[in-house]
Structures are given as C-alpha cells and as structure tokens.
Amino acid sequence: MFEYTQQILLKVSFDKVLFRKELKKAVKWLKSDERRMLMVWCIATFGHRYSDIISEVFRQVSRS
C-alpha cells in the first residue's frame, strides 16, 4: 500500500488540492509505521513545494 500511495502522490503532485486530498486519504489507510515512512518520503520528495500541506496533514493525524 505504501508503494501505491507513492505512485498516486507523484501523479497528482501537479495540483495542490489533489495532493492534499490524496495525502489525507493515504494517512487514514496506512499503518503507523508506513505513515512515518510516508512522512519522511513526502518531506524529501515534496517538501520544497508542499511543506505546509505535509505538516498540516501529519499534524492532524497525530492529534487523532
């Protein structure tokens, strides 16, 4: 599931709204260890572009 999520995020990364939507879905589906890996991967891959979205989504997950 982690690899599938990476593929989806790469495909929708051209659009900020789609990226946020797919990232939110992904963090709901993934197990906690996969979520941590996804966060690291997202920061490394999209941090320069979507750091605000990445922070927001993973902050919401940690509150839940």
Side-chain angles (χ1 to χ4, degrees):
M1 193 56 140
F2 176 70
E3 293 82 15
Y4 177 72
T5 299
Q6 288 176 308
Q7 291 175 4
I8 296 298
L9 291 174
L10 286 168
K11 288 180 182 179
V12 300
S13 64
F14 68 92
D15 184 287
K16 192 172 189 170
V17 174
L18 280 175
F19 184 82
R20 176 184 279 123
K21 178 183 173 184
E22 292 300 329
L23 184 57
K24 282 183 176 183
K25 279 198 296 190
V27 296
K28 289 179 186 177
W29 292 342
L30 296 175
K31 298 174 186 173
S32 64
D33 58 326
E34 290 177 319
R35 259 188 250 129
R36 276 184 251 118
M37 290 189 325
L38 181 64
M39 182 176 69
V40 170
W41 179 80
C42 281
I43 291 168
T45 308
F46 303 110
H48 65 286
R49 192 173 187 186
Y50 294 135
S51 61
D52 55 335
I53 293 173
I54 296 166
S55 298
E56 170 195 328
V57 170
F58 283 100
R59 198 173 325 118
Q60 288 175 351
V61 169
S62 66
R63 288 187 208 152
S64 307

Short mmCIF file of all heavy atoms in Angstrom, two decimals:
data_model
loop_
_atom_site.label_atom_id
_atom_site.label_comp_id
_atom_site.label_asym_id
_atom_site.label_seq_id
_atom_site.Cartn_x
_atom_site.Cartn_y
_atom_site.Cartn_z
N MET A 1 0.82 -1.20 0.00
CA MET A 1 0.00 0.00 0.00
C MET A 1 0.87 1.27 0.00
O MET A 1 0.50 2.27 -0.60
CB MET A 1 -0.92 -0.03 1.22
CG MET A 1 -2.00 0.98 1.18
SD MET A 1 -2.97 0.81 -0.30
CE MET A 1 -4.56 1.09 0.29
N PHE A 2 2.02 1.19 0.67
CA PHE A 2 2.92 2.33 0.73
C PHE A 2 3.40 2.72 -0.67
O PHE A 2 3.38 3.90 -1.04
CB PHE A 2 4.11 2.02 1.65
CG PHE A 2 5.15 3.10 1.69
CD1 PHE A 2 4.88 4.30 2.31
CD2 PHE A 2 6.39 2.90 1.11
CE1 PHE A 2 5.83 5.30 2.34
CE2 PHE A 2 7.35 3.89 1.14
CZ PHE A 2 7.07 5.10 1.76
N GLU A 3 3.80 1.72 -1.45
CA GLU A 3 4.29 1.99 -2.81
C GLU A 3 3.18 2.57 -3.70
O GLU A 3 3.42 3.46 -4.51
CB GLU A 3 4.86 0.72 -3.46
CG GLU A 3 6.13 0.22 -2.80
CD GLU A 3 5.87 -0.62 -1.56
OE1 GLU A 3 4.72 -1.06 -1.33
OE2 GLU A 3 6.83 -0.83 -0.81
N TYR A 4 1.98 2.05 -3.53
CA TYR A 4 0.83 2.55 -4.29
C TYR A 4 0.59 4.03 -3.95
O TYR A 4 0.35 4.85 -4.84
CB TYR A 4 -0.40 1.71 -3.98
CG TYR A 4 -1.65 2.19 -4.66
CD1 TYR A 4 -1.82 2.04 -6.03
CD2 TYR A 4 -2.67 2.81 -3.94
CE1 TYR A 4 -2.97 2.49 -6.67
CE2 TYR A 4 -3.82 3.26 -4.56
CZ TYR A 4 -3.96 3.10 -5.93
OH TYR A 4 -5.09 3.56 -6.56
N THR A 5 0.67 4.34 -2.67
CA THR A 5 0.48 5.72 -2.23
C THR A 5 1.54 6.64 -2.85
O THR A 5 1.22 7.75 -3.29
CB THR A 5 0.55 5.80 -0.70
OG1 THR A 5 -0.49 4.99 -0.16
CG2 THR A 5 0.41 7.21 -0.19
N GLN A 6 2.77 6.19 -2.90
CA GLN A 6 3.83 6.98 -3.51
C GLN A 6 3.50 7.27 -4.98
O GLN A 6 3.65 8.41 -5.44
CB GLN A 6 5.16 6.25 -3.43
CG GLN A 6 5.76 6.21 -2.05
CD GLN A 6 7.03 5.40 -2.02
OE1 GLN A 6 7.06 4.26 -2.47
NE2 GLN A 6 8.08 5.98 -1.49
N GLN A 7 3.05 6.25 -5.69
CA GLN A 7 2.71 6.43 -7.11
C GLN A 7 1.60 7.45 -7.29
O GLN A 7 1.68 8.32 -8.16
CB GLN A 7 2.29 5.10 -7.72
CG GLN A 7 3.39 4.11 -7.86
CD GLN A 7 2.89 2.75 -8.35
OE1 GLN A 7 1.71 2.59 -8.67
NE2 GLN A 7 3.79 1.78 -8.42
N ILE A 8 0.58 7.34 -6.46
CA ILE A 8 -0.56 8.27 -6.56
C ILE A 8 -0.10 9.70 -6.29
O ILE A 8 -0.44 10.63 -7.03
CB ILE A 8 -1.68 7.87 -5.57
CG1 ILE A 8 -2.27 6.51 -5.93
CG2 ILE A 8 -2.77 8.95 -5.50
CD1 ILE A 8 -2.92 6.44 -7.28
N LEU A 9 0.67 9.89 -5.22
CA LEU A 9 1.12 11.24 -4.88
C LEU A 9 2.01 11.83 -5.97
O LEU A 9 1.93 13.03 -6.24
CB LEU A 9 1.82 11.24 -3.52
CG LEU A 9 0.90 10.98 -2.33
CD1 LEU A 9 1.71 10.85 -1.05
CD2 LEU A 9 -0.15 12.07 -2.19
N LEU A 10 2.84 11.02 -6.56
CA LEU A 10 3.66 11.51 -7.68
C LEU A 10 2.78 11.95 -8.85
O LEU A 10 3.07 12.97 -9.50
CB LEU A 10 4.64 10.43 -8.13
CG LEU A 10 5.83 10.18 -7.20
CD1 LEU A 10 6.56 8.89 -7.61
CD2 LEU A 10 6.79 11.36 -7.23
N LYS A 11 1.72 11.21 -9.11
CA LYS A 11 0.84 11.53 -10.24
C LYS A 11 0.01 12.78 -10.02
O LYS A 11 -0.34 13.47 -10.98
CB LYS A 11 -0.07 10.35 -10.55
CG LYS A 11 0.66 9.19 -11.18
CD LYS A 11 -0.26 8.04 -11.49
CE LYS A 11 0.54 6.89 -12.08
NZ LYS A 11 -0.28 5.72 -12.37
N VAL A 12 -0.36 13.07 -8.77
CA VAL A 12 -1.22 14.23 -8.50
C VAL A 12 -0.43 15.43 -7.99
O VAL A 12 -1.02 16.46 -7.66
CB VAL A 12 -2.36 13.89 -7.50
CG1 VAL A 12 -3.23 12.78 -8.05
CG2 VAL A 12 -1.81 13.53 -6.14
N SER A 13 0.88 15.33 -7.95
CA SER A 13 1.69 16.40 -7.36
C SER A 13 1.64 17.70 -8.14
O SER A 13 2.08 18.74 -7.63
CB SER A 13 3.13 15.94 -7.21
OG SER A 13 3.72 15.68 -8.46
N PHE A 14 1.09 17.68 -9.33
CA PHE A 14 0.97 18.91 -10.11
C PHE A 14 -0.12 19.84 -9.56
O PHE A 14 -0.14 21.03 -9.86
CB PHE A 14 0.65 18.58 -11.58
CG PHE A 14 -0.72 17.99 -11.78
CD1 PHE A 14 -1.81 18.80 -12.07
CD2 PHE A 14 -0.91 16.62 -11.66
CE1 PHE A 14 -3.07 18.26 -12.25
CE2 PHE A 14 -2.17 16.06 -11.84
CZ PHE A 14 -3.25 16.87 -12.13
N ASP A 15 -1.01 19.30 -8.72
CA ASP A 15 -2.16 20.06 -8.22
C ASP A 15 -2.19 20.03 -6.70
O ASP A 15 -2.27 18.96 -6.10
CB ASP A 15 -3.44 19.45 -8.80
CG ASP A 15 -4.67 20.23 -8.42
OD1 ASP A 15 -5.08 20.15 -7.25
OD2 ASP A 15 -5.24 20.90 -9.29
N LYS A 16 -2.15 21.19 -6.08
CA LYS A 16 -2.10 21.29 -4.62
C LYS A 16 -3.34 20.69 -3.95
O LYS A 16 -3.23 20.01 -2.94
CB LYS A 16 -1.96 22.78 -4.25
CG LYS A 16 -1.61 23.04 -2.83
CD LYS A 16 -1.32 24.52 -2.62
CE LYS A 16 -0.74 24.74 -1.25
NZ LYS A 16 -0.23 26.09 -1.05
N VAL A 17 -4.50 20.93 -4.51
CA VAL A 17 -5.75 20.42 -3.94
C VAL A 17 -5.80 18.90 -4.00
O VAL A 17 -6.14 18.23 -3.02
CB VAL A 17 -6.97 21.05 -4.65
CG1 VAL A 17 -8.26 20.43 -4.15
CG2 VAL A 17 -6.99 22.55 -4.45
N LEU A 18 -5.46 18.34 -5.14
CA LEU A 18 -5.44 16.88 -5.29
C LEU A 18 -4.39 16.25 -4.39
O LEU A 18 -4.62 15.19 -3.79
CB LEU A 18 -5.14 16.49 -6.74
CG LEU A 18 -6.29 16.53 -7.71
CD1 LEU A 18 -5.79 16.22 -9.12
CD2 LEU A 18 -7.37 15.55 -7.32
N PHE A 19 -3.23 16.88 -4.28
CA PHE A 19 -2.18 16.36 -3.43
C PHE A 19 -2.65 16.26 -1.98
O PHE A 19 -2.47 15.24 -1.32
CB PHE A 19 -0.93 17.24 -3.53
CG PHE A 19 0.23 16.71 -2.75
CD1 PHE A 19 1.03 15.72 -3.29
CD2 PHE A 19 0.53 17.20 -1.49
CE1 PHE A 19 2.12 15.22 -2.57
CE2 PHE A 19 1.60 16.71 -0.76
CZ PHE A 19 2.40 15.71 -1.31
N ARG A 20 -3.28 17.33 -1.48
CA ARG A 20 -3.79 17.33 -0.10
C ARG A 20 -4.84 16.23 0.09
O ARG A 20 -4.80 15.48 1.06
CB ARG A 20 -4.39 18.68 0.25
CG ARG A 20 -5.03 18.70 1.65
CD ARG A 20 -5.72 20.02 1.97
NE ARG A 20 -4.72 20.97 2.39
CZ ARG A 20 -4.50 22.15 1.84
NH1 ARG A 20 -5.22 22.54 0.79
NH2 ARG A 20 -3.57 22.96 2.29
N LYS A 21 -5.74 16.12 -0.85
CA LYS A 21 -6.81 15.13 -0.77
C LYS A 21 -6.25 13.71 -0.72
O LYS A 21 -6.65 12.90 0.13
CB LYS A 21 -7.74 15.28 -1.98
CG LYS A 21 -8.86 14.29 -2.05
CD LYS A 21 -9.67 14.49 -3.33
CE LYS A 21 -10.68 13.40 -3.51
NZ LYS A 21 -11.40 13.51 -4.78
N GLU A 22 -5.33 13.40 -1.61
CA GLU A 22 -4.75 12.05 -1.66
C GLU A 22 -3.87 11.76 -0.46
O GLU A 22 -3.84 10.63 0.04
CB GLU A 22 -3.98 11.85 -2.96
CG GLU A 22 -4.85 11.82 -4.18
CD GLU A 22 -5.90 10.71 -4.17
OE1 GLU A 22 -5.66 9.63 -3.60
OE2 GLU A 22 -6.97 10.92 -4.77
N LEU A 23 -3.16 12.76 0.03
CA LEU A 23 -2.33 12.57 1.22
C LEU A 23 -3.19 12.29 2.44
O LEU A 23 -2.89 11.41 3.25
CB LEU A 23 -1.43 13.78 1.44
CG LEU A 23 -0.43 13.68 2.59
CD1 LEU A 23 0.48 12.47 2.41
CD2 LEU A 23 0.39 14.96 2.69
N LYS A 24 -4.30 13.01 2.57
CA LYS A 24 -5.22 12.76 3.69
C LYS A 24 -5.78 11.34 3.63
O LYS A 24 -5.89 10.66 4.65
CB LYS A 24 -6.38 13.76 3.67
CG LYS A 24 -6.02 15.11 4.19
CD LYS A 24 -7.23 16.02 4.19
CE LYS A 24 -6.93 17.35 4.80
NZ LYS A 24 -8.13 18.20 4.88
N LYS A 25 -6.17 10.89 2.45
CA LYS A 25 -6.68 9.52 2.30
C LYS A 25 -5.61 8.51 2.67
O LYS A 25 -5.87 7.53 3.37
CB LYS A 25 -7.14 9.27 0.86
CG LYS A 25 -8.51 9.79 0.56
CD LYS A 25 -9.10 9.16 -0.68
CE LYS A 25 -8.37 9.47 -1.95
NZ LYS A 25 -9.09 9.05 -3.17
N ALA A 26 -4.41 8.75 2.21
CA ALA A 26 -3.31 7.81 2.44
C ALA A 26 -3.02 7.64 3.94
O ALA A 26 -2.84 6.51 4.40
CB ALA A 26 -2.07 8.27 1.72
N VAL A 27 -2.99 8.71 4.68
CA VAL A 27 -2.65 8.58 6.10
C VAL A 27 -3.75 7.87 6.88
O VAL A 27 -3.48 7.29 7.93
CB VAL A 27 -2.28 9.93 6.76
CG1 VAL A 27 -1.03 10.51 6.14
CG2 VAL A 27 -3.41 10.91 6.70
N LYS A 28 -4.95 7.87 6.37
CA LYS A 28 -6.03 7.11 7.01
C LYS A 28 -5.89 5.62 6.76
O LYS A 28 -6.19 4.81 7.62
CB LYS A 28 -7.40 7.57 6.48
CG LYS A 28 -7.81 8.93 6.94
CD LYS A 28 -9.15 9.30 6.36
CE LYS A 28 -9.53 10.73 6.69
NZ LYS A 28 -10.79 11.11 6.07
N TRP A 29 -5.40 5.25 5.59
CA TRP A 29 -5.29 3.84 5.20
C TRP A 29 -4.07 3.15 5.77
O TRP A 29 -4.11 1.96 6.08
CB TRP A 29 -5.19 3.70 3.69
CG TRP A 29 -6.41 4.07 2.92
CD1 TRP A 29 -7.68 4.19 3.38
CD2 TRP A 29 -6.46 4.38 1.53
NE1 TRP A 29 -8.52 4.54 2.37
CE2 TRP A 29 -7.80 4.67 1.22
CE3 TRP A 29 -5.51 4.43 0.54
CZ2 TRP A 29 -8.21 5.00 -0.06
CZ3 TRP A 29 -5.92 4.77 -0.74
CH2 TRP A 29 -7.26 5.05 -1.03
N LEU A 30 -2.97 3.89 5.87
CA LEU A 30 -1.69 3.26 6.20
C LEU A 30 -1.55 2.97 7.69
O LEU A 30 -2.12 3.66 8.54
CB LEU A 30 -0.54 4.17 5.76
CG LEU A 30 -0.42 4.41 4.27
CD1 LEU A 30 0.68 5.43 3.99
CD2 LEU A 30 -0.13 3.11 3.53
N LYS A 31 -0.76 1.96 8.00
CA LYS A 31 -0.41 1.64 9.38
C LYS A 31 0.56 2.69 9.88
O LYS A 31 1.16 3.42 9.10
CB LYS A 31 0.24 0.26 9.44
CG LYS A 31 -0.66 -0.85 8.96
CD LYS A 31 0.11 -2.15 8.93
CE LYS A 31 -0.76 -3.23 8.29
NZ LYS A 31 0.01 -4.47 8.08
N SER A 32 0.73 2.76 11.19
CA SER A 32 1.55 3.84 11.77
C SER A 32 3.00 3.82 11.28
O SER A 32 3.57 4.88 11.03
CB SER A 32 1.49 3.80 13.29
OG SER A 32 2.06 2.61 13.77
N ASP A 33 3.60 2.65 11.12
CA ASP A 33 4.98 2.61 10.64
C ASP A 33 5.07 3.07 9.18
O ASP A 33 6.02 3.75 8.79
CB ASP A 33 5.60 1.23 10.82
CG ASP A 33 4.83 0.13 10.10
OD1 ASP A 33 3.59 0.22 10.02
OD2 ASP A 33 5.47 -0.83 9.63
N GLU A 34 4.07 2.73 8.39
CA GLU A 34 4.04 3.18 7.00
C GLU A 34 3.79 4.69 6.93
O GLU A 34 4.31 5.37 6.05
CB GLU A 34 2.96 2.45 6.21
CG GLU A 34 3.27 0.99 5.97
CD GLU A 34 2.16 0.26 5.24
OE1 GLU A 34 0.98 0.50 5.57
OE2 GLU A 34 2.48 -0.54 4.35
N ARG A 35 3.00 5.20 7.86
CA ARG A 35 2.75 6.64 7.92
C ARG A 35 4.04 7.41 8.16
O ARG A 35 4.28 8.44 7.55
CB ARG A 35 1.76 6.98 9.03
CG ARG A 35 0.38 7.21 8.51
CD ARG A 35 -0.53 7.74 9.59
NE ARG A 35 -1.45 6.66 9.89
CZ ARG A 35 -1.73 6.20 11.09
NH1 ARG A 35 -1.18 6.73 12.16
NH2 ARG A 35 -2.57 5.23 11.25
N ARG A 36 4.86 6.90 9.07
CA ARG A 36 6.14 7.55 9.35
C ARG A 36 7.03 7.55 8.10
O ARG A 36 7.67 8.55 7.78
CB ARG A 36 6.86 6.86 10.51
CG ARG A 36 6.37 7.38 11.85
CD ARG A 36 7.14 6.79 13.01
NE ARG A 36 6.21 5.86 13.68
CZ ARG A 36 6.39 4.56 13.79
NH1 ARG A 36 7.46 3.98 13.36
NH2 ARG A 36 5.48 3.82 14.39
N MET A 37 7.07 6.41 7.42
CA MET A 37 7.87 6.33 6.19
C MET A 37 7.33 7.29 5.14
O MET A 37 8.11 7.93 4.42
CB MET A 37 7.86 4.90 5.64
CG MET A 37 8.62 3.92 6.48
SD MET A 37 8.87 2.27 5.77
CE MET A 37 7.39 1.93 4.84
N LEU A 38 6.01 7.39 5.05
CA LEU A 38 5.40 8.30 4.08
C LEU A 38 5.75 9.75 4.40
O LEU A 38 6.05 10.53 3.50
CB LEU A 38 3.88 8.12 4.05
CG LEU A 38 3.14 9.01 3.06
CD1 LEU A 38 3.54 8.67 1.62
CD2 LEU A 38 1.63 8.87 3.23
N MET A 39 5.72 10.11 5.67
CA MET A 39 6.04 11.47 6.05
C MET A 39 7.48 11.82 5.64
O MET A 39 7.72 12.86 5.04
CB MET A 39 5.87 11.68 7.55
CG MET A 39 6.15 13.09 7.99
SD MET A 39 5.83 13.39 9.73
CE MET A 39 7.12 12.44 10.49
N VAL A 40 8.41 10.93 5.93
CA VAL A 40 9.81 11.16 5.56
C VAL A 40 9.95 11.27 4.04
O VAL A 40 10.61 12.18 3.53
CB VAL A 40 10.71 10.02 6.12
CG1 VAL A 40 12.11 10.10 5.55
CG2 VAL A 40 10.72 10.06 7.63
N TRP A 41 9.30 10.36 3.32
CA TRP A 41 9.36 10.39 1.87
C TRP A 41 8.74 11.67 1.30
O TRP A 41 9.30 12.29 0.38
CB TRP A 41 8.67 9.15 1.29
CG TRP A 41 8.67 9.11 -0.20
CD1 TRP A 41 9.70 8.72 -1.00
CD2 TRP A 41 7.60 9.50 -1.07
NE1 TRP A 41 9.33 8.83 -2.32
CE2 TRP A 41 8.05 9.30 -2.39
CE3 TRP A 41 6.31 9.97 -0.86
CZ2 TRP A 41 7.25 9.58 -3.49
CZ3 TRP A 41 5.51 10.25 -1.97
CH2 TRP A 41 5.99 10.06 -3.26
N CYS A 42 7.60 12.07 1.85
CA CYS A 42 6.93 13.29 1.37
C CYS A 42 7.80 14.52 1.60
O CYS A 42 7.91 15.39 0.72
CB CYS A 42 5.59 13.48 2.08
SG CYS A 42 4.28 12.47 1.44
N ILE A 43 8.43 14.60 2.76
CA ILE A 43 9.29 15.75 3.05
C ILE A 43 10.46 15.77 2.08
O ILE A 43 10.81 16.82 1.53
CB ILE A 43 9.76 15.72 4.51
CG1 ILE A 43 8.57 16.00 5.44
CG2 ILE A 43 10.88 16.74 4.75
CD1 ILE A 43 8.84 15.71 6.90
N ALA A 44 11.06 14.61 1.85
CA ALA A 44 12.21 14.54 0.94
C ALA A 44 11.81 14.83 -0.50
O ALA A 44 12.56 15.47 -1.25
CB ALA A 44 12.87 13.17 1.04
N THR A 45 10.65 14.36 -0.90
CA THR A 45 10.23 14.47 -2.31
C THR A 45 9.50 15.77 -2.62
O THR A 45 9.72 16.37 -3.67
CB THR A 45 9.33 13.27 -2.68
OG1 THR A 45 9.99 12.07 -2.31
CG2 THR A 45 9.03 13.25 -4.16
N PHE A 46 8.61 16.19 -1.72
CA PHE A 46 7.76 17.35 -1.99
C PHE A 46 7.91 18.49 -0.99
O PHE A 46 7.16 19.47 -1.05
CB PHE A 46 6.28 16.92 -1.98
CG PHE A 46 5.96 15.82 -2.94
CD1 PHE A 46 5.64 14.55 -2.48
CD2 PHE A 46 5.97 16.04 -4.31
CE1 PHE A 46 5.33 13.53 -3.35
CE2 PHE A 46 5.67 15.01 -5.19
CZ PHE A 46 5.35 13.75 -4.72
N GLY A 47 8.83 18.37 -0.07
CA GLY A 47 9.00 19.36 0.99
C GLY A 47 9.24 20.77 0.48
O GLY A 47 8.76 21.75 1.06
N HIS A 48 9.96 20.89 -0.61
CA HIS A 48 10.25 22.21 -1.20
C HIS A 48 9.00 22.86 -1.76
O HIS A 48 8.93 24.09 -1.85
CB HIS A 48 11.30 22.07 -2.29
CG HIS A 48 10.84 21.27 -3.46
ND1 HIS A 48 10.72 19.89 -3.41
CD2 HIS A 48 10.44 21.64 -4.70
CE1 HIS A 48 10.27 19.46 -4.59
NE2 HIS A 48 10.10 20.49 -5.40
N ARG A 49 8.01 22.05 -2.06
CA ARG A 49 6.81 22.56 -2.75
C ARG A 49 5.58 22.59 -1.85
O ARG A 49 4.79 23.53 -1.90
CB ARG A 49 6.56 21.66 -3.95
CG ARG A 49 5.56 22.16 -4.90
CD ARG A 49 5.57 21.25 -6.10
NE ARG A 49 4.75 21.76 -7.15
CZ ARG A 49 4.49 21.10 -8.25
NH1 ARG A 49 5.01 19.92 -8.44
NH2 ARG A 49 3.72 21.62 -9.17
N TYR A 50 5.40 21.53 -1.05
CA TYR A 50 4.17 21.37 -0.28
C TYR A 50 4.43 21.16 1.22
O TYR A 50 3.70 20.44 1.88
CB TYR A 50 3.38 20.16 -0.79
CG TYR A 50 2.85 20.33 -2.20
CD1 TYR A 50 2.96 19.30 -3.12
CD2 TYR A 50 2.23 21.49 -2.61
CE1 TYR A 50 2.46 19.42 -4.41
CE2 TYR A 50 1.74 21.64 -3.89
CZ TYR A 50 1.86 20.60 -4.79
OH TYR A 50 1.36 20.74 -6.05
N SER A 51 5.45 21.80 1.76
CA SER A 51 5.77 21.60 3.17
C SER A 51 4.60 21.98 4.08
O SER A 51 4.37 21.32 5.10
CB SER A 51 7.02 22.37 3.56
OG SER A 51 6.84 23.75 3.36
N ASP A 52 3.85 23.01 3.70
CA ASP A 52 2.70 23.43 4.50
C ASP A 52 1.62 22.34 4.55
O ASP A 52 1.07 22.04 5.62
CB ASP A 52 2.12 24.74 3.99
CG ASP A 52 1.75 24.70 2.50
OD1 ASP A 52 2.33 23.89 1.75
OD2 ASP A 52 0.88 25.49 2.09
N ILE A 53 1.33 21.73 3.43
CA ILE A 53 0.32 20.67 3.36
C ILE A 53 0.79 19.44 4.13
O ILE A 53 0.02 18.85 4.90
CB ILE A 53 0.01 20.30 1.90
CG1 ILE A 53 -0.68 21.48 1.19
CG2 ILE A 53 -0.87 19.05 1.83
CD1 ILE A 53 -0.86 21.27 -0.28
N ILE A 54 2.02 19.06 3.93
CA ILE A 54 2.56 17.88 4.61
C ILE A 54 2.50 18.06 6.11
O ILE A 54 2.03 17.18 6.84
CB ILE A 54 4.01 17.60 4.13
CG1 ILE A 54 4.01 17.26 2.64
CG2 ILE A 54 4.65 16.49 4.95
CD1 ILE A 54 5.38 17.29 1.98
N SER A 55 2.93 19.21 6.59
CA SER A 55 2.88 19.49 8.03
C SER A 55 1.46 19.45 8.56
O SER A 55 1.18 18.86 9.60
CB SER A 55 3.47 20.87 8.32
OG SER A 55 4.81 20.91 7.96
N GLU A 56 0.56 20.09 7.83
CA GLU A 56 -0.85 20.15 8.24
C GLU A 56 -1.47 18.75 8.35
O GLU A 56 -2.10 18.42 9.36
CB GLU A 56 -1.63 20.98 7.23
CG GLU A 56 -3.13 20.94 7.38
CD GLU A 56 -3.84 21.47 6.14
OE1 GLU A 56 -3.30 22.38 5.48
OE2 GLU A 56 -4.94 20.97 5.84
N VAL A 57 -1.31 17.94 7.33
CA VAL A 57 -1.92 16.63 7.29
C VAL A 57 -1.36 15.72 8.39
O VAL A 57 -2.11 15.07 9.12
CB VAL A 57 -1.76 15.97 5.90
CG1 VAL A 57 -2.19 14.51 5.93
CG2 VAL A 57 -2.56 16.74 4.86
N PHE A 58 -0.05 15.71 8.55
CA PHE A 58 0.54 14.82 9.56
C PHE A 58 0.30 15.35 10.98
O PHE A 58 0.23 14.57 11.92
CB PHE A 58 2.01 14.58 9.27
CG PHE A 58 2.21 13.61 8.15
CD1 PHE A 58 2.50 14.05 6.87
CD2 PHE A 58 2.06 12.24 8.36
CE1 PHE A 58 2.66 13.15 5.82
CE2 PHE A 58 2.20 11.32 7.32
CZ PHE A 58 2.50 11.78 6.05
N ARG A 59 0.14 16.65 11.13
CA ARG A 59 -0.21 17.21 12.45
C ARG A 59 -1.62 16.78 12.84
O ARG A 59 -1.89 16.41 13.98
CB ARG A 59 -0.10 18.73 12.41
CG ARG A 59 -0.03 19.36 13.77
CD ARG A 59 0.24 20.86 13.74
NE ARG A 59 1.13 21.28 12.65
CZ ARG A 59 0.77 22.12 11.67
NH1 ARG A 59 -0.43 22.65 11.64
NH2 ARG A 59 1.61 22.46 10.73
N GLN A 60 -2.54 16.79 11.88
CA GLN A 60 -3.92 16.36 12.15
C GLN A 60 -3.97 14.89 12.55
O GLN A 60 -4.73 14.52 13.41
CB GLN A 60 -4.79 16.59 10.91
CG GLN A 60 -5.09 18.04 10.63
CD GLN A 60 -5.84 18.24 9.34
OE1 GLN A 60 -6.02 17.31 8.55
NE2 GLN A 60 -6.27 19.46 9.07
N VAL A 61 -3.15 14.08 11.91
CA VAL A 61 -3.13 12.65 12.21
C VAL A 61 -2.60 12.42 13.63
O VAL A 61 -3.13 11.59 14.35
CB VAL A 61 -2.25 11.89 11.19
CG1 VAL A 61 -1.99 10.48 11.63
CG2 VAL A 61 -2.90 11.92 9.83
N SER A 62 -1.58 13.16 14.02
CA SER A 62 -1.00 12.96 15.34
C SER A 62 -1.95 13.39 16.45
O SER A 62 -1.88 12.89 17.57
CB SER A 62 0.34 13.69 15.47
OG SER A 62 0.15 15.09 15.41
N ARG A 63 -2.87 14.29 16.16
CA ARG A 63 -3.87 14.72 17.16
C ARG A 63 -4.96 13.68 17.35
O ARG A 63 -5.57 13.62 18.39
CB ARG A 63 -4.52 16.02 16.71
CG ARG A 63 -3.64 17.20 16.82
CD ARG A 63 -4.43 18.46 16.53
NE ARG A 63 -3.55 19.48 15.99
CZ ARG A 63 -3.95 20.42 15.17
NH1 ARG A 63 -5.20 20.49 14.78
NH2 ARG A 63 -3.10 21.31 14.73
N SER A 64 -5.23 12.90 16.32
CA SER A 64 -6.33 11.94 16.36
C SER A 64 -6.04 10.78 17.27
O SER A 64 -5.00 10.37 17.55
CB SER A 64 -6.61 11.40 14.97
OG SER A 64 -6.82 12.45 14.07
#
